Amino acid sequence: MFHRTKTLAAAFAASTLLASPLFAGELVINTDTSDPAPKAAFEALIAGFEAENPDVEVTWNLFDHEGYKTSIRNFLTADAPDLANWYAGNRMLPYVNAGLFEPVDDVWDEHNLHETLASSEGSMTIDGQIWGVPYTYYQWGVYYRKDIFEANGIAVPKNWDDFKAAGAKLTAAGITPITIGTKYLWTAGGVFDYLNLRTNGYDFHMALTKGEIPWTDDRVRATMANWKELLDAGFFLDNHAAYSWQEALAPMVQGEAAMYVMGNFAVAPLREAGLTDDQLGFFQFPVINPDVPLAEEAPTDTIHIPSNAKNKEDAKKFLAYLARADVQTEINMTLGQLPINKDSSVGDDKFLQAGYEMLSSTDGGIAQFFDRDAPAEMAKAGMEGFQEFMVKPERLDKILERLEKVRNRVYK
Amino acid sequence: MSAYWKKNQQRLAPWLFLAPGIFMFLMYVIIPIFQSVNISFYAWDGLGEREWVGAGNYVELMDDEAFYTSLKNNVLWLVLYMLAIPAGLFVALFLNQTVRGIRIYKSLFFFPFVISQVVVGLVFSWFYDPKYGLLNIFLTSLGFEAIPVLADETWVTYGIIAAGLWPQTAYCMILYLTGLNAVDPEQIEAARLDNAKGFKLLWYVVLPQLKPATFIAVVVTVIGALRSFDLISIMTDGGPWGSSRVLAFYMYEQAFSEYGFRMGYGAAIAVVLFAIMMIYISVFLYKMYRDERGY
């Protein structure tokens, strides 16, 4: 971690300090946006905020991803910043329950965010209160090699039978249908989410991740049976447990695999590896049960005010600024993701446009992601079970019983 | 006061010199042990209120498959890691000769111990890569099936231990090399005159003189086996589906990792690990005590 006081901010602060020392406020922001694009986005965001609020001096502490997950627990209790980024859904529940996040309903009321940020109000609400402001999200779906599909005469699959037929054609041509790397488990969670959302629908999926439905339920078994169909047909990359998600990009780039069930962040490395937009395409995960309304997966990133923050007034100003349509447009242009504010405009990248179109017409509901919807312990056990199932499908009963045991413990 | 000091100076001085050490040892070793034992009786996420669950964490541990997998792997590590000692001895004997440039060879053999465990882990991950790794290229060229070592629950622990043996052998080698310097050449000569050679010479004449080196080698190897954390974290992250975890890694996962924060349960695992290490520590202390008494 390193401290970064923007020189710009210092200059502003110095000039305002001379003019009106009483109004100079210091705003401390902690984020883990250390990758190049998010870092640039936050730099611009903070500079923009400072330009509009010359009396506020922003101190920005940048953390690396992995370290942040541990640090946030320490700094929320011991030395709280005024703002910190985190994630929507169940992922913020422990901090809300421990009273470490401040409810920000007043910001939402005052700036009409109930309307402009309506799509994610649900995932920001716990116990009837709103706990932060979302600023970006991105779609999940199937990224595929257009050229390989065309070469094998495959059309974009719309339903389960098409999807299986496409896989059969690909395997016949010696191509692995879906690449995946499950070493860090969560990729398997994405596949489960989609299979379950398409088999049983959004409400069931949310009830399952909230612990209201036993893992041994027949509807879960139906999802797993669909998954097993894919496993039996050799849909997934061999030895996926040895690879990370980045390593699993390689077979797709080399043309040995044709599809990847992934989030939109996979596009950047695929392009860097040399795939052009003519070779790379995106489609919505196909329909399995036609009676189930289509729900999608779109994890939302958020910013919160810790309860122990010192400068809540300016923090709320910052949240209001962050929620604005033009600000969200700009930050998401840099991030290469989708803005939450419905009045923002979306970058003209074709994957962003596809994602925007898909998500804005989604009527089934928007899930966050398995490890954000389910509590941490359940998520870990679940994703480990999915990985095991993908290699040893015959152990299904044992796996589901184990998950059920965890469920009974976690949601008391 | 000064009279008291004069009278008891001899008695007090050692304690004064020991005080900083004792303080550190209490703060960072003894007190945390009791704190861990204490925390292991609570359900606690590290943030909110602690909830007393008595032996609940231990009861759960007894019924936890992952715990038994970790325990089994810990035993595997302890047993197989011992291979580093004979291997190190063998390399040391091999290198204990005066040839031109022997120092370069010695440095080369010592090299794996110098590089970080993380690098060792990465190198071996590539070596084991199911498709492009040297191991599987070699196996397939001989007509065998490729083994995805790190993605296979039966092979994974052995694969990581093999990676760990590489630097550990180097460590044992260096211990034995220094030990061999201290071997009395006259005794060797005397044994030669009595027509002892080969294995018998090694076993009855050289090895007894290497006893101090062997003792240290066993100690560092046991410690190395118990802190096998970094290799596991780099190579498999405990997977596939948790089959390469050891107790230390499981404890970390439960208490501190992204999906963890069950401090009580993590502490319970730590206490069990501590109890296992206590067996070894007691044997070690008993032996030290006996040696110091001189019989």
Side-chain angles (χ1 to χ4, degrees), chain A residues 84-119:
Chain A
N85 76 321
W86 196 238
Y87 311 101
N90 231 317
R91 210 55 200 279
M92 65 178 180
L93 186 65
Y95 305 114
V96 171
N97 284 345
L100 292 172
F101 280 160
E102 179 98 354
V104 292
D105 299 73
D106 49 344
V107 180
W108 281 62
D109 295 339
E110 217 172 288
H111 298 91
N112 195 25
L113 304 187
H114 297 291
E115 197 194 319
T116 51
L117 306 182
S119 62

Side-chain angles (χ1 to χ4, degrees), chain A residues 176-238:
Chain A
T176 308
I178 300 178
T179 183
I180 188 170
T182 60
K183 181 172 170 187
Y184 295 102
L185 305 176
W186 55 269
T187 45
V191 176
F192 172 80
D193 279 355
Y194 264 113
L195 288 167
N196 197 37
L197 285 170
R198 292 287 184 268
T199 312
N200 297 309
Y202 179 80
D203 293 333
F204 176 84
H205 186 68
M206 294 322 269
L208 181 69
T209 49
K210 283 203 183 86
E212 290 157 11
I213 290 164
W215 280 90
T216 43
D217 192 283
D218 279 341
R219 287 166 291 180
V220 179
R221 285 181 193 277
T223 300
M224 300 315 255
N226 285 333
W227 201 342
K228 189 156 186 301
E229 280 186 53
L230 300 187
L231 294 171
D232 290 343
F235 253 67
F236 295 96
L237 187 71
D238 283 342

